[in-house]
Amino acid sequence: MGHLLERDDALALLASEIRRTAGGHGRLVVLRGASGTGRSALLEAAIEHAKDSGFRVLSVRCSPEETPPPLSTVSHLMGSVTMSHRAEPDRTEQPDGAEFRQALHAITDESPVLLAVDDVQFADPASRSWLTETVRRIDSARILLVVTERSQYDIPLPPPSLNRALPASVAIAHTLSPLTASAASALVRAAAPTAAATWVADCVRAGAGNPLLLQALLEDVGAESSSPLPEMSAALYPGSYPAAVGWWLNSAGAVTRQVARALAVAEYDGLREPAGELARFLAAACGTDPARTLGWLTAMRRLRMVREGEDGSVRYAHPLLRDAVLGDWPSERREAVSGSFADTMLRRGDHVEAVARQLLRSGPVRQGWALRALEDAASTATGGDRPEDAIRYLRRALTETDSDTARHRLLKELGILEYRHGNASAGLQQLHEALLVTAAPQDRARTAIALGTALTERGEIQDAVDLLRETKRELGTHPAAAWSVQAATLLLTDRDQSPRGAGHRKMLKDAMRDCVAPSAGRALLVRHAALAGEITAQKAMTQMRALLGEPTDDLSEPFLLSAAATVALWADELDEADCLAERGLATSSWMRLHPAGQALHAVRAEIALIRGDYKGLLADHAQDRRPGSSAPGSFALQALTELGCFEEARRLVQDGDLDPGGDVWELSRFRYASGVLRAAQGDVSGALHDFLDCGRRLSAAAGMSPFLLPWRTAAAMCRLARGDRSAALALAREELRLARAWNTPRSVGRALHAVAVATAGRDGLELGAEAVRILRQSPDTRDLISALLSHGRQLAASGRRTQAREHYQEAARHAERLGSVRLRTDVERDLRTVGVRRPSASFTGSESLTGSERRVAELAARGHTNTEISHLLQVTRRTVESHLTRSYSKLGINGRAELRTALRGMEENP
C-alpha cells in the first residue's frame, strides 16, 4: 500500500487483516476519524492492496440522503452480484437481506471478498443492520468488511458505531488522530522549503491537524510564503481551502454546522468565555442541548479545530479558519446570533453596557429588553463622562422601536449628546426630528428648549425665538409646558446685545402674570431685580429661600434652581450656591442643553475660580468644548492668568473667535478676563480698553450691579496707573454706591479698596484699612490679597514699614493657599520693597490648610467617604473633592491613605 502521512499503523492493520481474511478468517475493520483525516484515502489503499492480493472488491460510498429506501446501501454494494447469481434474474423484484447474504457467500467460493463501505454513518438503518448481522457470520469466511465512520462528535446524537454490538473477535476499530504538529510542519516545509518559521506555524494552526484542510491551504498559498497568511478566506478566492472547510461543515450536518458558525460569530463579537459558559451561549443561540454543545467544543479542541486562550476562552485555531467557517452565511443570520448572545448575557446578569455592546453587533431584536438595555447603557455611559459610547447606544436604540413616545425620547437625548460631543449639525437635525414626532406636552417643551438653546449658542437667536414662540402657541392648552417655553425664551433673549431696560422688565412681569409655577416665576423676578440693583443681597436671599420651600414641578424647577443658585453666588453664599447647582444639574439629563443648565454651569465655574480650583476648571473647559458654541471660555482664561500661564492664555484669546453679537454675559466675562491678563502683563492701555468694553456691554444689558464683574474698579486701577486720578476716583465711587445697594463684603470691600487707592493722604489710608477689614469676610481671597498689597504700599509710603511687611506676609499666605501665581508674583515684588526677598514661609503643610480644608481632611482621615462628608458638612461632593485635592498638595502627600499620618504630624508639630 502507498504511504500516507502518519497512517503507517492503520496501513499495517489493513495489510494484516487482508492476509488473515485470505486464510479464511473474516473480520470487520472500522476506520474512525474526523472529516478530512484520510479515512477515504485509507479505504482506497485497502482496496488496492486487496485487489493485488486476489480479492474481489465490492464498494459503496454512502451519502446523507433525506429518506433513503431500506437496504439502499446494501443494494448498491451487492446489486450486480445478486443479479448474476439468480437462476432467472428479475430486475423488477427487490432482493431481500437473505438473498444478498446468500449471493455474498456464493462468491467467496471463487475468491476472498473485500466489502468496502465509505461513510457508513450515512447508511440507512436496514443496511446497517444487514452489515452487523453479516459480520456475525464471517468469522470463518473469506470476507473482510472495511468501513469508514465519521467520528467528529455531532451535536445531534449520531447512530451507534457499527462495531459497538459486536465482539472484539470479529470487529476492530481504529481511530485516526489529527496530524501532529511536527508532521504538519513537515508537510508545509515540503511545499514551501524557504518559508519563515512563523509562517509555517500559522499554516499548521489554520490546517488544524487536518490533512484535507492543510493540503487545500497549501494549494492556495504554497507559492506565497513570503506574504503573511491572510485572515480572510476571500483573500484565497476562489480557493481550495474555503471549499474544503465548507465540505467539512457540510459533512457535519445542519445543526453542528449552525453551532460551528455561531462559534465564529462569538469570536468576531469578542466574546471571551470559558468553554462551559460559551457552550451555554451557543446552545441558547442555536436551540441545542448545552451538554452536547459543550461536548462538541471539547471534541473540537482535541481535534485542534479550536484552542483555549490564556484567559480560558475558546476560539478557532486560526482567524482564517474562523472566517472560512462563516463563509457566505448571511449577515442577517450572524446578527440574529449576536442578538441571542446579548439576551443570554442579560439573563446571566452581565453589566448593562456589556449587553449593549453586544447589541451593537446585532440586527434589530424588536423586543422590549433590548431597548431598555440600550437606554440604560446610554445613561450609564453619560454619567461616566463617555458621551461617545452613549451616542452609539442611542443610535442603535432607534432601530429597536417604532413607538412615537420612545423615538421622541431617544431623538431628544441623542440630539443633545450629538450637539455637545459629536456632530453639532447632526444633533440639531435630531432635535428637529424629535419635534416632528408626536409626544407629551412636557416632552415637547423640553425638546424645544434644548433646540432653542442650541440655536442661540450658534448665534441664531431669532430662529430660536421663532421656534420657541411657535412651540408655546402649540402648547397653549397645557399651561405648565407653555410657561416653561416662555421662561426659556426670556432667558435666551436675555443674552443678546440689544439694549434693554423697562421694556424687558415688563415682558418678564407679563410672562409671570398668569404663571402656573409661581415660585419659579418670582425667582426670575428676584434675579432681575438684583441685576438692576434694586434689592439688597440679604433681602434677595430671604426671598429666594422662601421660594425654594414652595412646591414646584419638573418643568419649572430648573428655572427656580438656576435663579436661586445665581443669586446665592452673587450674595457670597458659595456653599449654598454650590449645593443648588449640583442639585439642579443632577436632576435631569436634558439640563445639559437648557438655559438654566448653562447658568448652573457658570455658577459652578465661578465658585471654582473663587476657591482657586484652577486645574479643575481647566479640565472642565477641555471636556466641554461645545461644537457650534461661540463661548470662548472666559473662566478658563482667568484660571490660566492666575496660574501665570500667560502664553497659553494669549492663545486662548486669539482662538476665542468672539461674535460681537453673541452671548452678552459670556462676552462681557471674556472681556474682563482679557483685561486681567493684559494688566498682569503690564499692558495698562489694553486692559483699560477691555474693562471699559465689558462695562459698555453690561450697562446696555441692564447689568448695573457690581457683583457681576468689577469692571469699574479694574478700570479705575488702570486710570490711576496712567495718572488720571480724578477719572479713577469717579469710577470707584460709582462702584461703591452700587455695591452698598447690594451690600455684600465682596462687592463693598473691593469697591472701597479702589476708592482708597484713588484717595490721597490719611483718608486713603483709613479707607484702605476698612477695605481690608471688610474683605476678610469675603469668600474671594483674590480681592483681599490685592487690598492687602495696596494698603501695605500706603503704610510703607507713610513710613510704617513693619505694618506694611505684615500686610505683605498675610497676602503671601493667602496667595500660597489660593495657588495664584499671578498674585504670588505681586506679593514677592512688594516684599522686596521692604527688604524681604521671599515670603518668610512657603505656607505649605499645617499652616496652609484653611478651616474648611482641615475639617474635610480630618473626616476623610477617619474613614468617611466623600458622599458622607458632603452630608455631614452640608456641602457638595464637588466641594469635598476640591478641598481634598488642595489638602493633598499642601500636605505633600499623594492621596487619602496618607492623610491620617500627615494630620497626626500636624498635631505633634503645631
Side-chain angles (χ1 to χ4, degrees):
M1 283 189 284
H3 178 73
L4 294 172
L5 197 62
E6 289 194 329
R7 299 294 181 251
D8 291 344
D9 51 352
L11 292 169
L13 171 65
L14 291 170
S16 173
E17 291 303 316
I18 288 172
R19 288 193 300 272
R20 185 176 182 276
T21 301
H25 299 283
R27 188 114 69 175
L28 164 67
V29 177
V30 181
L31 300 174
R32 306 175 69 233
S35 298
T37 51
R39 292 176 289 119
S40 297
L42 274 173
L43 188 60
E44 290 296 330
I47 290 172
E48 291 301 320
H49 187 56
K51 287 180 179 179
D52 292 343
S53 301
F55 277 63
R56 181 169 182 178
V57 176
L58 303 176
S59 63
V60 67
R61 173 168 291 178
C62 304
S63 61
E65 299 177 7
E66 291 294 329
T67 54
L71 290 177
S72 61
T73 299
V74 176
S75 177
H76 285 96
L77 179 69
M78 299 290 301
S80 60
V81 173
T82 306
M83 293 299 126
S84 66
H85 282 76
R86 279 184 174 179
E88 296 180 1
D90 183 359
R91 298 185 181 277
T92 63
E93 182 182 350
Q94 177 65 33
D96 58 14
E99 187 175 353
F100 282 133
R101 196 171 291 114
Q102 182 181 2
L104 175 62
H105 282 280
I107 63 173
T108 59
D109 295 337
E110 303 169 7
S111 64
V113 177
L114 171 66
L115 298 179
V117 183
D118 201 7
D119 282 334
V120 74
Q121 73 275 2
F122 295 132
D124 61 278
S127 294
R128 290 173 63 85
S129 297
W130 185 90
L131 291 170
T132 303
E133 187 60 29
T134 298
V135 171
R136 295 182 189 277
R137 305 180 185 190
I138 63 174
D139 186 31
S140 58
R142 294 193 301 169
I143 301 173
L144 176 62
L145 175 59
V146 180
V147 303
T148 67
E149 186 175 67
R150 184 178 182 276
S151 58
Q152 196 167 289
Y153 198 97
D154 278 334
I155 304 297
L157 285 170
S161 180
L162 197 63
N163 67 315
R164 183 166 295 182
L166 296 170
S169 60
V170 296
I172 297 176
H174 181 85
T175 301
L176 305 180
S177 298
L179 294 179
T180 62
S182 59
S185 297
L187 192 61
V188 176
R189 282 288 182 200
T194 62
T198 54
W199 190 88
V200 172
D202 265 0
C203 287
V204 170
R205 285 199 298 121
N210 189 299
L212 174 72
L213 298 187
L214 190 55
Q215 289 285 6
L217 177 63
L218 292 174
E219 286 180 27
D220 291 339
V221 301
E224 301 176 11
S225 61
S226 59
S227 302
L229 199 65
E231 295 190 356
M232 296 183 63
S233 56
L236 306 177
Y237 184 84
S240 300
Y241 180 79
V245 174
W247 176 85
W248 173 78
L249 281 174
N250 289 331
S251 66
V255 178
T256 305
R257 186 161 59 248
Q258 185 177 6
V259 173
R261 284 170 168 164
L263 173 61
V265 173
E267 189 176 339
Y268 267 119
D269 287 356
L271 285 179
R272 295 289 183 263
E273 301 286 345
E277 282 298 310
L278 182 59
R280 280 190 278 275
F281 272 86
L282 299 177
C286 302
T288 56
D289 175 22
R292 291 292 302 174
T293 307
L294 177 60
W296 181 82
L297 285 174
T298 304
M300 291 303 101
R301 187 164 47 191
R302 183 178 179 279
L303 293 175
R304 296 204 294 276
M305 285 287 180
V306 301
R307 60 192 176 95
E308 188 173 351
E310 294 181 358
D311 56 357
S313 62
V314 177
R315 65 197 71 177
Y316 277 100
H318 192 276
L320 180 62
L321 177 58
R322 174 198 64 202
D323 189 70
V325 165
L326 275 178
D328 57 354
W329 215 34
S331 59
E332 295 81 4
R333 299 289 298 278
R334 300 186 192 187
E335 291 173 354
V337 168
S338 295
S340 177
F341 290 159
D343 188 15
T344 303
M345 294 169 68
L346 186 66
R347 294 175 188 276
R348 186 176 66 176
D350 284 13
H351 191 277
V352 68
E353 280 206 74
V355 177
R357 284 192 292 271
Q358 184 61 39
L359 284 170
L360 292 177
R361 303 180 181 97
S362 78
V365 177
R366 294 293 182 171
Q367 294 186 28
W369 65 263
L371 178 60
R372 289 191 297 273
L374 288 163
E375 287 195 90
D376 289 346
S379 177
T380 301
T382 301
D385 290 328
R386 289 179 288 104
E388 295 82 5
D389 290 338
I391 288 171
R392 285 194 290 272
Y393 299 146
L394 290 172
R395 285 176 179 165
R396 173 65 179 78
L398 279 169
T399 67
E400 288 292 342
T401 181
D402 293 323
S403 162
D404 283 348
T405 300
R407 286 190 62 78
H408 180 95
R409 181 177 68 248
L410 293 169
L411 284 167
K412 179 195 68 180
E413 183 65 15
L414 179 59
I416 292 171
L417 286 172
E418 284 273 28
Y419 177 79
R420 283 286 188 231
H421 306 285
N423 184 322
S425 297
L428 290 174
Q429 182 178 350
Q430 285 148 359
L431 289 171
H432 273 292
E433 186 177 347
L435 277 179
L436 298 176
V437 178
T438 303
Q442 296 88 342
D443 293 330
R444 285 186 60 75
R446 289 171 178 142
T447 303
I449 290 171
L451 182 54
T453 305
L455 291 171
T456 301
E457 283 188 354
R458 292 167 65 93
E460 302 171 21
I461 295 179
Q462 189 57 52
D463 289 343
V465 170
D466 292 343
L467 169 80
L468 291 170
R469 285 175 178 168
E470 177 62 22
T471 304
K472 177 179 177 293
R473 185 186 63 77
E474 294 172 357
L475 296 172
T477 57
H478 303 279
W483 181 85
S484 68
V485 173
Q486 173 72 352
T489 306
L490 288 169
L491 288 182
L492 292 175
T493 55
D494 192 47
R495 301 178 185 181
D496 66 26
Q497 299 291 319
S498 59
R500 63 178 70 96
H504 191 77
R505 175 70 172 273
K506 183 178 183 302
M507 287 175 58
L508 188 63
K509 285 185 174 180
D510 289 345
M512 302 308 135
R513 185 187 307 144
D514 300 320
C515 180
V516 295
S519 57
R522 292 204 303 274
L524 292 175
L525 287 172
V526 172
R527 174 183 174 276
H528 187 275
L531 273 173
E534 300 171 355
I535 191 173
T536 66
Q538 183 178 2
K539 185 176 180 180
M541 285 306 301
T542 300
Q543 293 180 5
M544 279 297 186
R545 286 168 180 148
L547 292 172
L548 286 167
E550 295 182 9
T552 186
D553 58 81
D554 290 343
L555 284 173
S556 60
E557 186 179 40
F559 298 99
L560 171 63
L561 292 175
S562 67
T566 302
V567 170
L569 169 67
W570 294 341
D572 292 347
E573 301 288 350
L574 298 194
D575 287 343
E576 189 169 352
D578 206 6
C579 284
L580 290 167
E582 185 166 282
R583 175 181 160 190
L585 292 172
T587 51
S588 302
S589 62
W590 59 283
M591 288 289 285
R592 292 189 300 274
L593 201 55
H594 189 286
Q598 293 177 326
L600 292 174
H601 278 295
V603 166
R604 296 188 71 169
E606 189 161 348
I607 290 173
L609 192 64
I610 292 171
R611 289 174 171 166
D613 186 12
Y614 307 130
K615 292 183 179 179
L617 227 171
L618 291 171
D620 288 345
H621 172 71
Q623 292 178 357
D624 191 33
R625 300 302 294 269
R626 296 168 292 182
S629 172
S630 61
S634 58
F635 294 111
L637 178 55
Q638 292 185 70
L640 288 170
T641 301
E642 294 299 333
L643 289 172
C645 302
F646 296 153
E647 185 61 35
E648 191 174 348
R650 281 196 298 270
R651 286 198 299 271
L652 184 58
V653 172
Q654 293 168 358
D655 297 341
D657 190 22
L658 294 173
D659 179 5
D663 186 338
V664 63
W665 306 116
E666 175 60 30
L667 189 53
S668 299
R669 281 195 297 262
F670 191 78
R671 286 298 187 206
Y672 180 82
S674 176
V676 173
L677 171 63
R678 289 183 171 184
Q681 294 178 295
D683 182 5
V684 176
S685 297
L688 178 61
H689 175 271
D690 281 338
F691 292 139
L692 293 177
D693 185 61
C694 169
R696 281 193 296 271
R697 295 177 186 279
L698 288 178
S699 298
M704 304 301 295
S705 190
F707 55 66
L708 285 172
L709 292 167
W711 66 269
R712 295 181 186 84
T713 58
M717 293 300 184
C718 292
R719 292 287 191 192
L720 279 174
R722 296 177 62 177
D724 193 349
R725 183 175 295 273
S726 60
L729 192 57
L731 284 167
R733 285 174 175 169
E734 175 63 11
E735 183 90 333
L736 182 59
R737 182 186 69 79
L738 295 169
R740 292 195 188 280
W742 181 243
N743 199 28
T744 59
R746 182 162 50 135
S747 60
V748 172
R750 63 191 178 194
L752 194 60
H753 163 223
V755 173
V757 174
T759 303
R762 176 179 289 275
D763 290 343
L765 199 59
E766 292 175 353
L767 290 170
E770 184 182 359
V772 169
R773 179 184 60 78
I774 293 173
L775 284 171
R776 285 193 175 113
Q777 306 168 49
S778 167
D780 194 340
T781 53
R782 293 175 301 171
D783 296 323
L784 174 59
I785 293 167
S786 296
L788 285 167
L789 293 178
S790 296
H791 191 51
R793 296 186 200 107
Q794 290 174 320
L795 290 168
S798 65
R800 305 179 193 179
R801 292 175 62 83
T802 300
Q803 289 178 278
R805 186 181 297 112
E806 291 172 356
H807 278 65
Y808 294 156
Q809 289 174 335
E810 181 183 352
R813 287 193 293 274
H814 288 301
E816 187 74 29
R817 291 171 182 168
L818 187 63
S820 172
V821 175
R822 175 182 70 89
L823 290 170
R824 194 164 55 203
T825 301
D826 292 345
V827 169
E828 292 179 358
R829 179 197 61 213
D830 284 358
L831 277 169
R832 286 194 294 270
T833 65
V834 292
V836 179
R837 289 193 175 185
R838 292 181 57 81
S840 58
S842 64
F843 302 109
T844 57
S846 61
E847 293 184 15
S848 66
L849 293 186
T850 65
S852 297
E853 290 168 350
R854 183 163 188 139
R855 285 192 294 273
V856 169
E858 288 173 346
L859 288 171
R862 292 173 194 157
H864 290 286
T865 66
N866 290 0
T867 301
E868 290 171 344
I869 297 170
S870 69
H871 291 322
L872 288 170
L873 299 181
Q874 294 297 300
V875 296
T876 66
R877 181 186 173 91
R878 185 187 179 97
T879 299
V880 173
E881 293 168 351
S882 297
H883 284 337
L884 284 175
T885 299
R886 290 196 295 273
S887 297
Y888 298 155
S889 176
K890 293 176 181 180
L891 294 173
I893 61 178
N894 294 321
R896 202 184 202 95
E898 303 175 50
L899 265 177
R900 186 184 293 274
T901 303
L903 293 176
R904 188 183 299 120
M906 290 168 54
E907 294 169 358
E908 294 171 355
N909 302 285

